[in-house]
Amino acid sequence: MTPKNNIVIGIIIALVFVASYNVDANPIEFVEGLPNLAIVVEEMFSVEPKYIPTALWAMFETIQMAFIGTVVGTAIALPLSMLAARNLNSKYVYAPVRALLAAIRTFPSILWAILFVIMVGLGTFAGVLAIVMYTVGFVAKLQYEAIETIDSDPMDAVSSIGVSKWQLVRYVVIPESASHLLSQILYMFDYNVRQTSILGLVGAGGIGFYIINYIKFFEYGKAAVFMLVVLVTVLFIDWVSVKIRDKYIIKSQHGMEVTTK
Amino acid sequence: MKLIQMTKTSSFSLISTNKIIQINNVWTSYDSKNFALEGINLSIDRGTNYAIVGQSGSGKSTLLKLMNGMMIPSQGTIKIDYVTPNMNNKKFKHMMHTIGYIPQSLGLVKNITVIENIMIGALPRLNKIESMFKRFPEHEINEAKRIISLVGLTGKEERKAYMLSGGEKRRVAIARALMQKPTILLADEIVSELDHVTAREIMNLIAEAQKRMNLTAIMVHHDMQLALEYANRVAVIKEGQKILEIGVEGDKIVDFQTGDLNTEEIMEMYDDSKK
Ligand SMILES: Nc1ncnc2c1ncn2[C@@H]1O[C@H](COP(=O)(O)OP(=O)(O)O)[C@@H](O)[C@H]1O
Ligand SMILES: [Mg+2]
């Protein structure tokens, strides 16, 4: 290691200390706070079992919100991704669409949720709209990148027949990028369930709404039970999507690999 | 094995009546420094089975891409039925519907079925909306089935293209081109990687369709032997220039044009290609 590297590392460590001081991040407080965790766990066990169905129902509502948001968001993202792909459009089409998508992506979903709470009022609908926006921004980007990596070979051969742009999309672009899309939808749903879980913090429905209210009234045990439900659900969805990915996507990609010369 | 008998030599002026393709002093480059084609002249009669032979990198694929409008020359003119090939030219765009182009890598869509791949050839004449739902008119389905049996793919209609063998993939690519009801077929080394027997099966298939439909077929080959067996005319390209063009009738070479080659060199080239 050169002295120059040592200096850089030293500066980074110093910056962490300065920043921690500025934002009041004190590790001693963390250690002192640990016993509080034990109190929360204790409170969890004293939560009445009748709250469990409520928690599960809230989680189910959250999953449904994420599901609608993912499906509708993907449906909107697909045509946009076709317009944003450089190998399908002229600059005058893809440049503005890309700019729009980039603008959509700059907002985290919680900010979209605040915006929609203001627009349509408190509740799950605002949350769904926020997830839709977030999904549009990301799925469209992932998908136009997938489209741009499609083998140019069938694209050129089919274009040279003189088919229309949408025929090209239907017969080459969609089939050749479908396995990417499936993988992205799974990933997005997984991610949206997590996001939807916290949208309740700004009043946009879902399980987060319960959590934030319990915290407000210092009912940490109940909040912790609801958080545990989120954790277990997310782990479960993660596990399921890994299974689906293995079964369908890896297989179809393998099929494609076999064919490339 | 074919015998080369020169019955006529150095006839530069072929009186032409029905020229479907005319290429005049064409130069092309991919970058500003090197030319892939350097002053190519070609003139192809309607209904000819034309072969272009040359080593790898000589410019054969480039020449085909010029003919289907995927590339435009930096210099010189190309006319297909008196129209300049260019994807932005409205008149040529319409002609593209009936120019079958099979690239070296075939250009099949891997994740759709054989029959869907073949139907792509008919897309320009199908209803735009219905084709989005993969709904095809009865007579087009029958036409596709007829072509499928012609190329020997009956029973494999519903297979995904990536599951096919090399020979079967070529049959699909040919069927897609035939589905276009083509007047011109451009095929880029589509039998080069096949074994002797399969290569001839595929070539026979094309020769058959070519005769029956009065197609003008322009096929790029690596192998001179194959070109002489099937083509009426053979052009040899070397480093972006046409160095030789011969006419073949049955077992005879009926005429040939060269820049500055002598008979010995032609024979040598023919021998080389047999290796
Ligand atoms: N996409 C490309 N970009 C740059 N150079 C290319 C490209 N395609 C072909 N070339 C060059 O042009 C020349 C002719 O290529 P090509 O027409 O593919 O030859 P052939 O088909 O006879 O093997 C070669 O020197 C090749 O390197
Ligand atoms: Mg080539």
Side-chain angles (χ1 to χ4, degrees), chain B residues 2-65:
Chain B
K2 198 164 289 204
L3 273 173
I4 294 196
Q5 295 169 6
M6 311 290 177
T7 55
K8 201 162 91 190
T9 55
S10 296
S11 63
F12 282 98
S13 55
L14 284 166
I15 296 154
S16 60
T17 47
N18 198 2
K19 296 295 182 198
I20 188 163
I21 294 173
Q22 285 183 298
I23 297 180
N24 250 314
N25 190 28
V26 157
W27 295 66
T28 344
S29 63
Y30 288 95
D31 48 57
S32 50
K33 290 181 218 105
N34 308 301
F35 283 97
L37 294 176
E38 305 178 351
I40 289 274
N41 292 294
L42 278 187
S43 166
I44 300 175
D45 285 340
R46 199 177 298 276
T48 311
N49 193 339
Y50 200 93
I52 298 169
V53 184
Q55 289 182 332
S56 178
S58 55
K60 308 180 297 292
S61 299
T62 307
L63 193 51
L64 282 197
K65 285 181 207 158

Side-chain angles (χ1 to χ4, degrees), chain B residues 148-202:
Chain B
I148 285 170
S149 87
L150 190 80
V151 299
L153 282 173
T154 307
K156 306 218 163 75
E157 293 89 342
E158 297 304 326
R159 287 257 184 108
K160 290 274 165 71
Y162 71 79
M163 297 175 175
L164 302 172
S165 73
E168 288 167 339
K169 280 181 191 156
R170 279 155 181 87
R171 288 167 201 269
V172 176
I174 292 164
R176 179 178 68 191
L178 294 181
M179 197 66 194
Q180 289 177 254
K181 302 191 171 159
T183 50
I184 298 174
L185 177 69
L186 307 169
D188 196 350
E189 289 199 46
I190 61 169
V191 296
S192 295
E193 287 162 30
L194 296 179
D195 61 272
H196 189 89
V197 177
T198 318
R200 268 141 190 94
E201 275 175 22
I202 301 280

